[in-house]
Amino acid sequence: PTDAFSIDNGIVTSVARRWPLMIDPQGQANKWSKNMSKAAGLISFKLSDGDFARILENALQFGKPALLENVAEELDPMLEPVLLKQVFKSGGVMSIKLGDATVEYNKDFKFYVTTKLRNPHYLPEVSVKVTLLNFMITPEGLQDQLLGIVVAKERPELEEEKSRLVLEAAENKRVLTEIENKILHTLSASEGNIPDAASAIEILGDAKVVSDQISAKQVIADATTKKLDSIRESYKSVA
């Protein structure tokens, strides 16, 4: 979803240390998880499925993303080693206990949990094992999403440009970080005085040129983003 609240939740889902448990009465987090991990071969299941342990075992072994849907306020105790990431080495391979079985653990495995309950009360022993996220949509979030839909219909080129600028800004930041790391590496690796090291001076000079070019691009991108936002705002009353 395109609203800022959902985007924040999406970022937390992607980078948090613990697996996410998403409060999702409208099903948006469920749909997003499925779309995001479709290419990676997402496996979805419910605790009511008779063979859910086998489904989870396959996901763990083959490094597939797994989506556990429609949980209630209590989780099956069998999930505890997965939620706590209790991985250990057995016979030279990373493994995890699932019930009575020891299963090979693939580092590409990802785990998502969703609930349709609007206002669940999770006990502390559940809350400390997961990253609890509320995806329930707010009126402001709904307006944000509708604004995105309206602008995409009325001015599709604006939405495309905005998406392109977001990706460009992220790429610029990545390149700048690489340049900073390169400069630090050059300074630490240079022996003696920096002015005497011709290669170090050349690397620093090149880094300065690229850094200036990126900064100039970012100034233009920021100005364009402001312009696009002001045009988008004109559609707010429709949203």
Side-chain angles (χ1 to χ4, degrees), residues 59-96:
L60 285 160
Q61 280 182 325
F62 298 111
K64 300 285 186 187
L67 171 64
L68 171 57
E69 303 176 279
N70 304 351
V71 298
E73 290 184 342
E74 290 182 16
L75 299 179
D76 193 295
M78 187 186 279
L79 298 172
E80 188 163 311
V82 179
L83 295 175
L84 294 174
K85 299 185 181 179
Q86 291 175 340
V87 182
F88 57 91
K89 216 161 196 177
S90 174
V93 294
M94 300 311 291
S95 306
I96 193 167

Side-chain angles (χ1 to χ4, degrees), residues 107-237:
K107 62 180 176 57
D108 294 328
F109 170 76
K110 287 184 171 55
F111 193 44
Y112 308 101
V113 186
T114 61
T115 177
K116 281 187 173 178
L117 300 174
R118 296 183 71 82
N119 189 24
H121 176 67
Y122 287 105
L123 294 172
E125 52 262 37
V126 173
S127 301
V128 297
K129 295 171 191 168
V130 296
T131 299
L132 203 55
L133 293 167
N134 190 352
F135 268 84
M136 191 158 123
I137 195 164
T138 60
E140 294 82 7
L142 181 59
Q143 182 178 298
D144 269 1
Q145 288 184 30
L146 291 173
L147 181 60
I149 292 166
V150 170
V151 176
K153 290 280 186 188
E154 295 289 319
R155 301 285 295 275
E157 74 282 1
L158 283 186
E159 283 298 286
E160 284 174 21
E161 181 69 1
K162 190 166 173 64
S163 296
R164 188 187 66 76
L165 286 169
V166 168
L167 292 171
E168 195 177 280
E171 178 62 15
N172 287 344
K173 282 179 184 171
R174 186 188 67 76
V175 173
L176 280 173
T177 304
E178 275 184 9
I179 289 169
E180 286 168 10
N181 291 339
K182 197 174 182 181
I183 289 170
L184 289 171
H185 176 71
T186 304
L187 292 173
S188 64
S190 294
E191 294 177 6
N193 293 327
I194 291 288
D196 298 334
S199 60
I201 292 169
E202 194 178 324
I203 289 168
L204 294 173
D206 290 346
K208 177 83 168 67
V209 170
V210 175
S211 178
D212 288 346
Q213 286 172 351
I214 288 173
S215 298
K217 275 187 195 172
Q218 197 54 48
V219 168
I220 297 166
D222 290 344
T224 310
T225 302
K226 279 183 186 173
K227 186 182 169 186
L228 292 178
D229 285 343
S230 67
I231 297 170
R232 285 177 98 251
E233 287 296 305
S234 64
Y235 289 95
K236 208 165 200 174
S237 57

